[in-house]
């Protein structure tokens, strides 16, 4: 283990990026809990952490857009500020020792792009629903690629409900029928102001196509997996 | 999702699914075909509460250090999950393997407070196991009870196969070893096993082997062992040398936030004080300390293995640790640099110092808590609290000057010999604390002051000098609460009090005997669970169950017990003798205090248990 983290004289932090996955049971862990979990992982890693200044110093961490509960991912990013340069392979191993497989660390590198350059996120969505068929797959696809995809947004704290259009947030989408399931791939807007949560597509399909309506919770399920982050030109973000 | 539904397929529809997933870092997974004893450690409350319990963490570690034992965790499902489980016929399962509790060999419950009884019993039902011990068959696991409540386990005795009296580190291992040995030798039957455990393992109480008879007036006539080779009195087990005992170096790190989400460092067990209402102070005797060397090693190791940024020093009264300054200084040698804060949650009023406050994270938060327990010196002497008003005023002065603006004061009402003067004394004391603030000049004190007075109701607990006392009636407790309310006139003082109904129910189960079992069974059959939670506590349902099963709750509470009466817990030997408790009771009525073990030994009897300490004579 590297030594107990100390704040050295140098105050120019260096940004090291980690790509990690969040799979399986961890889909039930909220973003806030994930952040708390990482605040301990980075300490255990023994890496030379840069701490925020002020009354209550904390390691400085920045994450890619939060996943909502129930969504898994193969592409999450953590930017960690260090006080000195460390060999990325060494850093990757130091972090990797401190997580379970479901949270495996996949890559570490000194990045060129900023996390805020992420423009799209792509998802792989498997819907195990009664009534799945080629025809249903086509109907689902065309309802999400129509000119407007109305979505009823519940008003918070007594504010009136509003209908918003999800269509501008859908950059690419296809649905096919595969091994008895509906298989959707989608590239969705990831800009903080217009972020589209893939959950909402499922909600729309429940309402318009009647999928996932079996009252028996154990018979149907959806797996939503975030696969890639992309830049504005739709090339892969790293 | 799968043919046979399990808890995982129901997670999407419940609140806080993170409670049920397991898979945390440092969780222990073993090959189930390679172990010989599967041990389910159940905590009858939510994951968030249970994961914070240090005792469970220690025992999980001790058991899993053994190659042939696999210990897993089980927590109580919240109401929403319980409904789903019922709907889909999903039994209660353990977090690590996801296997049903009913498939385990040994199932232990940690019973921390009386109000968890309905939850523990409901968990037995959710595991599809017979509720009553007498109904369990050869293929059922052995159900074990332990924890502070079992010093009087009689109300739940008929539901448990075996009770572990005292600290579990050694006892549970011996039980598991005996189980494996008897299985291997092919001589295991439930009855044979329980008999041999009762006969050979010190600290084991098998309730079904003790017959209880009652007098005509309802008091207990006698406890009679069914075998003559099992003890008539079951002696509590303690760990003698805390420096030598294994300690959990790699605690499980929960993903979701738990109640005590930090490093907890157990500094010592027991207490040198003898507050006469306090059960913990008596049942954990004698005091056994860890050395600063061990603690410093433990702390560093826990920091490296967890990454927490806070270390909390745990004990009944941290300032009584004989080497506290040394420990704090040695920890501060590295904690400040590592941005780790220290907290000392159980500081006594008479030992609070400016130096300690500055060094520990007591400073970082805006508030501090003290426990004078009673409003007048007379009553503080009765309960042997051994702190004076000067101590309190000095300590709050330090706190205010140190920038604390909120002071919380804990009291109890319904104490033996209490008069209205003592009750009104609480308000007076609070006022004088506010006065200390205003006597300081503006630059000396923080901006604004708030004093919170929190009053709980006295419950006469087993194994205390007050075990024979009667509890104030519910009406009397409410009258006292109202009286105090009218006296709380200072606008800087906030007054909160505990629900007297809760204390009344706690007292019934703390002091009860086996005749309460039918009431508990009825409550559980009708769905009671998580009664320790305000939203699920139902006083009327308890009273109704008592009425329907012929229990008079007053018999256990407002009646008081005679000193010549056989008490429900008389077959347990906690070390501290009945003669000492009687002596202490007499001194209470004489308003005479008793010195702490550090000043002089009062011959309580706990020295008979052994244990490394410098005080017991
Ligand atoms: S034997 Fe004496 S020193 Fe030891 S716990 Fe009892 S009173 Fe205290």
């Amino acid at each position: 283990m590297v030594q107990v983290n100390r704040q050295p004289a140098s105050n120019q932090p260096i940004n090291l990026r980690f790509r990690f996955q969040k799979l399986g049971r961890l889909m039930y862990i909220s973003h806030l809990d994930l952040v708390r979990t990482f605040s301990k992982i980075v300490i255990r890693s023994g890496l030379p952490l840069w701490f925020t200044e002020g009354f209550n110093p904390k390691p400085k961490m920045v994450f890619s857009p939060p996943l909502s509960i129930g969504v898994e991912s193969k592409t999450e990013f953590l930017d960690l500020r260090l006080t000195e340069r460390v060999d990325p392979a060494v850093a990757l191993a130091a972090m990797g020792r401190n997580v379970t497989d479901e949270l495996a660390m996949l890559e570490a590198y000194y990045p060129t792009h900023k996390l805020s350059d992420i423009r799209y996120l792509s998802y792989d969505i498997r819907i195990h629903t009664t009534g799945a068929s080629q025809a249903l797959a086509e109907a689902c696809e065309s309802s999400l690629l129509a000119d407007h995809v109305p979505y009823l947004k519940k008003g918070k704290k007594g504010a009136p409900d509003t209908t918003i259009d999800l269509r501008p947030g859908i950059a690419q989408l296809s649905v096919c029928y595969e091994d008895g399931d509906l298989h959707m791939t989608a590239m969705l807007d990831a800009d903080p102001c217009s972020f589209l949560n893939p959950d909402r597509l499922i909600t729309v399909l429940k309402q318009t196509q009647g999928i996932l309506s079996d009252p028996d919770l154990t018979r149907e399920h959806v797996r939503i997996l975030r696969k890639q982050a992309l830049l504005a030109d739709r090339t892969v973000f790293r | 999702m799968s043919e046979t539904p399990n808890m995982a397929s129901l997670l999407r529809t419940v609140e806080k699914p993170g409670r049920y997933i397991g898979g945390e870092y440092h969780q222990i997974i073993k090959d189930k075909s390679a172990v010989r004893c599967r041990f389910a450690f159940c905590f009858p409350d939510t994951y968030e509460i249970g994961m914070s319990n240090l005792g469970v963490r220690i025992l999980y570690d001790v058991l899993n250090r053994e190659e042939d034992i696999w210990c897993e965790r089980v927590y109580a499902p919240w109401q929403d999950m319980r409904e789903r489980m019922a709907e889909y016929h999903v039994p209660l399962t353990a977090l690590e393997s996801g296997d049903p509790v009913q498939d385990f060999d040994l199932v232990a419950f940690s019973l921390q407070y009386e109000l968890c009884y309905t939850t523990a019993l409901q968990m037995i039902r959710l595991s599809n196991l017979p509720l009553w011990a007498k109904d369990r068959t050869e293929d059922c696991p052995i159900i074990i009870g332990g924890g502070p409540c079992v010093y009087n386990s009689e109300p739940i005795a008929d539901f448990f196969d075996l009770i572990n009296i005292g600290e579990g580190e050694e006892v549970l291992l011996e039980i598991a070893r005996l189980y494996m040995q008897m299985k291997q030798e092919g001589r295991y039957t439930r009855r044979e096993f329980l008999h041999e455990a009762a006969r050979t393992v010190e600290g084991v109480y098998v309730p079904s082997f003790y017959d209880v008879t009652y007098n005509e007036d309802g008091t207990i006539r006698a406890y009679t062992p069914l075998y003559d080779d099992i003890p008539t009195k079951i002696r509590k087990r303690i760990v003698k040398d805390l420096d030598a005992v294994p300690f959990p170096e790699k605690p499980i790190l929960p993903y979701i936030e738990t109640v005590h989400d930090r490093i907890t460092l157990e500094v010592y067990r027991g207490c040198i004080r003898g507050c006469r209402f306090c059960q913990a102070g008596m049942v954990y005797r004698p005091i056994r300390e860890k050395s600063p060397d061990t603690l410093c090693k433990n702390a560093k190791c826990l920091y490296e293995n967890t990454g927490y940024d806070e270390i909390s020093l745990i004990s009944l009264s941290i300032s009584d640790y004989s080497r506290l300054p040394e420990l704090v200084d040695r920890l501060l040698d590295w904690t400040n640099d590592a941005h780790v804060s220290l907290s000392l949650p159980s500081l006594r009023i008479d030992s609070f110092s400016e130096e300690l406050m500055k060094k520990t994270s007591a400073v970082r938060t805006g508030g501090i808590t003290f426990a004078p327990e009673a409003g007048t010196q007379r009553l503080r002497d009765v309960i042997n609290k051994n702190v004076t008003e000067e101590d309190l005023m000095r300590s709050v002065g330090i706190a205010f000057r140190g920038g604390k603006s909120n002071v919380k004061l804990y009291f109890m009402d319904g104490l033996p010999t209490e008069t209205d003067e003592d009750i009104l004394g609480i308000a007076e004391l609070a006022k004088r604390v506010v006065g200390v603030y205003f006597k300081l000049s503006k630059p000396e004190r923080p901006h604004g002051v708030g004093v919170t007075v929190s009053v709980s109701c006295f419950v006469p607990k087993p194994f205390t000098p007050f075990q024979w006392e009667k509890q104030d009636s519910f009406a009397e407790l409410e009258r006292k609460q109202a009286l105090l309310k009218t006296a709380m006139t200072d606008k800087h003082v906030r007054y909160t009090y505990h629900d007297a109904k809760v204390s009344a129910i706690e007292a019934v189960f703390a002091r009860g005997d086996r005749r309460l079992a039918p009431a508990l069974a009825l409550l559980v059959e009708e769905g009671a669970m998580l009664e320790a939670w305000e939203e699920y506590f139902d006083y009327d349902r308890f009273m109704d169950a008592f009425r329907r099963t012929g229990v008079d709750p007053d018999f256990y509470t407002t009646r008081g017990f005679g000193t010549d009466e056989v008490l429900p817990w008389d077959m347990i030997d906690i070390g501290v003798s009945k003669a000492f408790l009687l002596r202490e009771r007499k001194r209470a009525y004489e308003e005479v205090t008793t010195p702490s073990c550090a000043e002089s030994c009062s011959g309580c009897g706990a020295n008979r248990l052994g244990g490394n300490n410098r005080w017991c004579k």
Side-chain angles (χ1 to χ4, degrees):
Chain A
M1 182 165 180
V2 192
Q3 272 175 7
V4 168
N5 314 286
R6 275 169 208 277
Q7 186 85 46
S10 129
N11 42 20
Q12 234 352 291
I14 299 158
N15 186 27
L16 181 64
R17 178 165 299 162
F18 294 90
R19 185 168 71 86
F20 62 96
Q21 63 185 23
K22 183 170 178 260
L23 293 180
R25 294 172 281 198
L26 294 194
M27 73 170 112
Y28 295 113
I29 299 305
S30 69
H31 184 69
L32 196 71
D33 286 334
L34 186 78
V35 173
R36 287 184 328 99
T37 298
F38 266 102
S39 68
K40 298 197 288 276
I41 293 171
V42 298
I43 302 263
R44 294 200 300 275
S45 75
L47 292 169
L49 304 178
W50 183 86
F51 279 76
T52 57
E53 270 139 39
F55 199 50
N56 197 1
K58 299 271 180 213
K60 177 74 178 168
M61 305 185 292
V62 185
F63 289 86
S64 47
L67 286 168
S68 53
I69 288 193
V71 180
E72 298 172 77
S73 175
K74 289 202 148 171
T75 310
E76 294 303 290
F77 297 98
L78 159 66
D79 278 7
L80 183 64
R81 305 286 192 276
L82 301 178
T83 55
E84 57 195 79
R85 262 189 117 77
V86 176
D87 177 353
V90 171
L92 185 67
M95 290 285 278
R97 273 194 296 278
N98 286 288
V99 293
T100 59
D101 292 347
E102 289 167 312
L103 199 63
M105 295 289 130
L106 305 172
E107 268 187 283
Y109 51 88
Y110 291 98
T112 44
H113 293 292
K114 297 195 295 283
L115 282 176
S116 54
D117 291 339
I118 296 177
R119 188 60 223 288
Y120 301 104
L121 288 160
S122 72
Y123 298 88
D124 188 285
I125 303 172
R126 238 167 224 288
I127 306 169
H128 184 72
T129 177
T130 35
S133 68
Q134 182 63 37
L136 184 62
E138 281 164 23
C140 288
E141 182 177 290
S142 45
S143 79
L144 292 176
L145 292 178
D147 290 348
H148 296 286
V149 182
Y151 173 85
L152 188 71
K153 198 172 159 194
K154 291 256 183 287
K156 274 185 198 150
K157 289 187 190 137
D161 296 351
T162 47
T163 302
I164 55 167
D165 185 7
L166 302 186
R167 188 63 185 85
I170 303 174
Q172 257 178 32
L173 183 136
S174 74
V175 186
C176 59
Y177 178 62
E178 219 179 72
D179 306 328
D181 292 342
L182 304 180
H183 182 197
M184 182 193 300
T185 53
M187 189 195 292
L188 306 179
D189 197 332
D191 189 283
C193 312
S194 49
F195 184 88
L196 176 53
N197 189 334
D199 269 351
R200 292 191 165 174
L201 303 184
I202 304 296
T203 306
V204 167
L205 292 180
K206 273 187 195 166
Q207 286 159 1
T208 63
Q209 307 299 322
I211 63 161
L212 300 167
S213 56
D214 194 321
D216 185 339
L217 294 169
T218 59
R219 273 206 284 259
E220 300 185 316
H221 59 91
V222 189
R223 182 183 191 206
I224 308 178
L225 179 68
R226 185 183 278 178
K227 282 186 72 176
Q228 271 186 337
L230 302 112
L231 295 161
D233 65 3
R234 302 194 179 185
T235 58
V236 175
F237 169 90
R238 7 187 356 266
Chain B
M1 190 168 257
S2 64
E3 296 293 311
T4 46
N6 55 21
M7 283 170 88
S9 54
L10 310 175
L11 291 176
R12 273 168 207 270
T13 61
V14 297
E15 225 185 286
K16 301 198 190 165
R19 286 169 167 166
Y20 309 105
I21 60 175
E24 309 92 329
Y25 192 68
H26 285 156
Q27 162 189 279
I28 304 237
I29 295 290
K30 294 188 182 181
D31 173 0
K32 58 183 166 192
S33 62
V35 298
R36 296 196 297 147
C37 176
R38 295 194 61 188
F39 202 114
F41 214 107
C42 305
F43 195 90
D45 210 319
T46 61
Y47 175 89
E48 297 94 306
I49 308 272
M51 280 298 288
S52 305
N53 184 278
L54 185 60
V56 178
R57 193 178 299 163
I58 290 173
L59 296 170
Y60 181 85
D61 174 65
V62 163
L63 290 161
N64 278 321
R65 281 172 189 251
E66 305 295 304
E67 229 172 272
D68 44 7
I69 303 173
W70 184 13
C71 176
E72 305 184 39
R73 297 161 296 152
V74 184
Y75 299 102
W78 193 249
Q79 180 68 18
D80 55 354
M81 185 49 137
R82 190 178 141 207
E83 280 163 17
R84 288 273 174 261
M85 288 164 65
E87 198 180 329
Y88 290 92
H89 310 289
V90 172
L92 190 64
T93 52
L95 283 182
E96 279 77 0
S97 63
D99 289 341
V101 172
Q102 68 193 67
D103 296 348
F104 281 70
D105 297 298
L106 303 174
V107 175
F109 281 86
S110 170
L111 302 162
Q112 302 282 325
Y113 21 84
E114 292 81 11
L115 284 181
C116 78
Y117 288 171
T118 52
T119 310
L121 300 183
Q122 199 63 260
M123 286 170 78
I124 296 177
R125 288 185 90 227
L126 292 173
S127 307
N128 295 332
L129 290 167
L131 182 61
W132 297 85
K134 64 176 166 47
D135 296 334
R136 287 186 201 123
T137 51
E138 287 301 327
D139 57 346
C140 292
I142 298 286
I143 301 192
I144 302 170
C149 279
V150 303
Y151 290 107
N152 174 25
S153 65
E154 290 309 280
I156 48 162
D158 289 330
F159 308 111
F160 284 83
D161 300 310
L162 184 157
I163 302 282
N164 166 194
I165 305 291
E167 292 162 11
E169 282 105 325
E170 294 162 358
V171 181
L172 290 181
L173 268 186
E174 289 166 26
I175 291 170
R177 285 268 156 251
L178 178 66
Y179 177 87
M180 290 187 279
Q181 191 194 340
M182 290 181 73
K183 281 258 160 169
Q184 193 178 18
E185 292 168 4
R187 57 192 183 92
Y188 174 90
T189 63
R190 290 175 72 80
R191 199 172 172 91
E192 278 305 304
F193 166 72
L194 291 173
H195 186 187
E196 191 139 335
R199 197 168 61 78
T200 61
V201 182
E202 197 182 30
V204 164
Y205 169 48
V206 177
S208 59
F209 291 168
Y210 295 80
D211 195 38
V212 195
T213 49
Y214 300 93
N215 297 311
E216 246 154 60
D217 63 0
T219 56
I220 294 165
R221 187 196 303 267
Y223 277 88
T224 322
L226 298 187
Y227 297 99
D228 46 19
D229 56 358
I230 61 172
T232 45
K233 243 182 180 314
I234 297 94
R235 181 176 283 189
K236 169 184 92 180
R237 281 284 287 275
I238 60 164
V239 167
K240 298 205 166 61
D241 183 357
L242 286 191
D243 282 326
V245 82
F247 126 97
E249 292 176 355
K250 294 181 172 177
I252 296 175
L253 296 173
Y255 286 112
I256 65 170
E257 197 162 3
T258 57
V259 191
H260 299 295
D261 216 3
R262 58 186 81 101
I263 291 172
T264 42
L265 207 56
E266 185 186 31
V267 178
Y268 66 84
R269 290 185 191 167
C271 186
I272 58 168
R273 306 281 163 176
C275 297
R276 291 174 182 139
F277 57 85
C278 178
Q279 187 187 41
M282 296 293 157
V283 298
Y284 296 137
R285 281 184 181 211
I287 189 168
R288 287 141 295 146
E289 296 189 331
K290 281 193 175 190
S291 67
D293 281 351
T294 307
L295 289 166
C296 288
K297 266 209 317 261
N298 292 172
K300 193 67 173 282
C301 162
L302 281 174
Y303 170 70
E304 287 173 356
N305 290 341
T306 66
Y308 277 119
D309 61 2
E310 183 180 349
I311 298 176
S312 188
L313 304 184
I314 300 296
S315 62
L316 285 174
S317 166
I318 192 63
S319 27
D320 288 333
Y321 179 53
S322 62
R323 295 162 78 179
L324 187 63
E326 179 190 347
L327 175 65
V328 169
D329 285 342
R330 283 175 62 180
L331 289 173
L332 286 170
D333 270 350
W334 63 271
T335 52
N336 274 346
D337 283 345
H339 308 292
V340 171
S341 63
L342 284 188
S343 63
L344 277 56
S346 59
L347 276 175
R348 266 179 70 90
I349 296 168
D350 50 357
S351 55
F352 184 66
S353 73
E354 201 169 339
E355 202 194 344
L356 263 183
M357 181 178 66
K358 289 227 169 93
K359 283 177 177 172
T360 65
S361 73
V363 205
R364 294 202 191 164
T365 55
I368 190 156
T369 301
F370 295 113
E373 308 288 5
T376 60
Q377 194 58 47
R378 184 199 72 79
L379 193 53
R380 282 194 296 274
D381 290 344
V382 168
I383 63 175
N384 202 36
K385 185 68 200 180
N386 282 341
V387 293
T388 63
E389 185 163 333
E390 292 76 71
D391 291 331
L392 178 64
M393 297 309 153
R394 186 188 56 84
S395 293
V396 295
I398 294 170
F400 288 141
R401 280 196 302 273
K404 307 260 177 212
S405 50
N406 291 307
V407 172
K408 194 167 182 180
L409 303 174
Y410 279 124
F411 295 92
M412 229 181 261
D413 65 7
L415 286 162
T417 79
E418 184 178 78
T419 63
D420 285 358
E421 198 184 315
D422 299 307
I423 295 289
L424 297 173
I426 296 175
E428 288 301 313
L429 205 58
K431 242 182 249 171
R432 287 200 286 276
V433 167
V434 175
V436 170
Y437 173 86
F438 283 106
K439 257 184 249 139
L440 294 171
S441 66
K442 280 211 170 134
E444 273 184 305
R445 66 192 198 201
H447 183 71
V449 59
V451 174
T452 304
V453 168
S454 172
V455 183
S456 62
C457 307
F458 167 67
V459 175
K461 292 275 190 162
F463 295 112
T464 64
F466 289 158
Q467 65 178 356
W468 297 275
E469 297 303 320
K470 53 180 189 286
Q471 190 182 36
D472 269 354
S473 71
F474 178 51
E476 176 66 357
L477 286 170
E478 288 208 315
R479 185 192 68 81
K480 286 177 176 173
Q481 287 174 342
L483 173 70
L484 185 50
K485 191 163 193 164
T486 56
M488 288 287 187
T489 48
D490 193 311
K491 67 176 193 300
H492 303 284
V493 180
R494 205 168 70 90
Y495 169 45
T496 64
Y497 50 89
H498 287 211
D499 185 351
K501 287 178 173 167
V502 172
S503 308
I505 298 298
E506 274 172 1
V508 173
F509 288 106
R511 304 164 64 72
D513 54 45
R514 294 188 186 182
R515 288 168 295 183
L516 292 173
L520 277 170
L522 187 65
L523 282 161
V524 169
E525 265 153 40
E526 295 185 354
M529 191 173 176
L530 297 172
E531 298 263 6
W533 292 77
E534 215 181 309
E535 53 262 65
Y536 294 118
F537 176 77
D538 188 340
Y539 179 74
D540 295 336
R541 184 159 63 178
F542 274 114
M543 296 313 274
D544 185 51
F546 293 150
R547 195 179 43 72
R548 286 158 67 195
T549 54
V551 170
D552 172 14
D554 294 348
F555 181 80
Y556 302 103
T557 55
T558 53
R559 177 179 73 96
F561 292 173
T563 48
D564 49 359
E565 205 175 310
V566 177
L567 302 173
W569 48 91
D570 269 353
M571 69 300 200
I572 305 297
D573 173 10
I574 61 154
V576 173
S577 69
K578 205 172 196 175
F580 171 77
L581 297 178
L582 273 170
R583 257 189 345 256
E584 279 296 290
R585 181 184 200 228
K586 187 156 168 281
R587 289 169 78 92
Y589 280 103
E590 289 164 358
E591 300 172 8
V592 181
T593 60
T594 296
S596 76
C597 300
E599 293 157 278
S600 77
C601 171
S602 312
C604 76
N607 56 334
R608 292 178 296 134
L609 302 172
N612 284 355
N613 83 48
R614 61 178 79 179
W615 295 289
C616 295
K617 291 276 150 24

